[in-house]
Amino acid sequence: MAVQINPSILSADFARLAEEAKAVRGADWLHVDVMDNHFVPNLTLGVPVVESLARATGTPLDCHLMIEDPDRWAPQYVEAGASSVTFHVEAAAAPVRLAREIRAKGARASMALKPATPIEPFEDLLPELDMLLIMTVEPGFGGQAFLDLMLPKIRRTRELIDKHGLQLWLQVDGGVSASTIEQCADAGADVFVAGSAVYGAKDPEEAVDALRAQAEAATARASWGCNH
Ligand code: DX5
Ligand code: ZN
């Protein structure tokens, strides 16, 4: 699977979201961080903003739900226009049922793991998912330092994906930048969220292209997989 770069609008200007979406036309997806001030100590946006943003941009929306009770709320984000919906396994009561519901509604189903959540207990769930998100910071805020102790987890997850011959995308989120993206690609990630590294750059579009070039080069050199 080709490398994908998903700018996180958490680092964009919330008063100008439509323009900020246009500033990264080369992006594969727009990453939309939904926070409820309970699952994480920060509050961002909800269904009405996702609905408006979906109407305002042609770039598909990758909604990352950092909220309690995703079983109840996640389907509404599909209805609001998200093409991919990520819930946290730590918050989900019935992750398999929820993933199936997201898929049945027509979006890609994705599950996220906080840094202290291991991948191993979820090996049997992987075929139910279209993407797995490994958090490389504690969720809640942009601009935090990349936790390089997550690299072995990324590597082990890539091994599980290959072992089962799955088409699962492996996303990393948190502290992904020019100095860390190559390590992530080398470990087996193929979808890269970047907030401050894109919207904090002078030219966000150029930052997306540069991150993509770095990730592609590192993927080509990497030893994992056989279909990239
Ligand atoms: C953090 C969010 C991230 C955030 C990443 O909890 O999930 O998507 O925007 O921001 P950077 O890339 O600045 O670490
Ligand atoms: Zn995120």
Side-chain angles (χ1 to χ4, degrees):
M1 215 264 311
V3 157
Q4 300 186 70
I5 307 291
N6 301 8
S8 166
I9 58 160
L10 186 61
S11 294
D13 180 351
F14 273 28
R16 299 168 45 250
L17 282 184
E19 290 160 60
E20 294 282 69
K22 290 190 181 94
V24 290
R25 277 185 212 278
D28 296 282
W29 298 75
L30 271 188
H31 183 85
V32 180
D33 289 302
V34 176
M35 305 186 190
D36 67 351
N37 216 15
H38 292 275
F39 183 71
V40 288
N42 197 3
L43 185 66
T44 54
L45 52 86
V47 166
V49 174
V50 171
E51 257 168 12
S52 299
L53 192 57
R55 278 197 298 271
T57 175
T59 308
L61 303 184
D62 155 31
C63 277
H64 176 194
L65 306 182
M66 285 160 277
I67 61 173
E68 296 290 359
D69 205 0
D71 305 71
R72 175 176 177 192
W73 301 111
Q76 292 189 27
Y77 286 86
V78 184
E79 285 159 20
S83 302
S84 175
V85 175
T86 301
F87 59 87
H88 269 267
V89 69
E90 302 88 355
V96 172
R97 187 175 64 203
L98 181 54
R100 288 184 180 178
E101 195 178 342
I102 292 169
R103 279 179 161 177
K105 283 190 170 292
R108 296 177 62 88
S110 163
M111 192 171 86
L113 308 182
K114 288 165 69 166
T117 306
I119 180 62
E120 284 73 15
F122 306 110
E123 180 173 353
D124 293 342
L125 265 68
L126 297 182
E128 300 288 337
L129 303 169
D130 297 297
M131 183 167 80
L132 190 94
L133 164 53
I134 294 187
M135 290 302 300
T136 42
V137 298
E138 288 296 341
F141 300 94
Q144 301 181 74
F146 180 78
L147 295 172
D148 53 7
L149 73 165
M150 290 298 105
L151 290 167
K153 180 155 87 177
I154 299 169
R155 235 173 253 288
R156 292 197 304 274
T157 305
R158 172 53 63 190
E159 281 165 16
L160 291 177
I161 293 170
D162 290 350
K163 172 178 150 194
H164 294 284
L166 301 172
Q167 293 302 311
L168 187 69
W169 295 353
L170 181 49
Q171 184 177 63
V172 281
D173 180 10
V176 176
S177 69
S179 21
T180 57
I181 196 165
E182 294 181 17
Q183 292 167 279
C184 295
D186 181 63
D190 54 9
V191 184
F192 304 87
V193 176
S196 45
V198 168
Y199 283 107
K202 227 184 240 148
D203 183 340
E205 184 76 69
E206 212 174 272
V208 169
D209 292 348
L211 288 169
R212 186 190 305 286
Q214 276 189 285
E216 282 175 350
T219 303
R221 287 193 302 268
S223 53
W224 57 269
C226 48
N227 55 353
H228 67 270

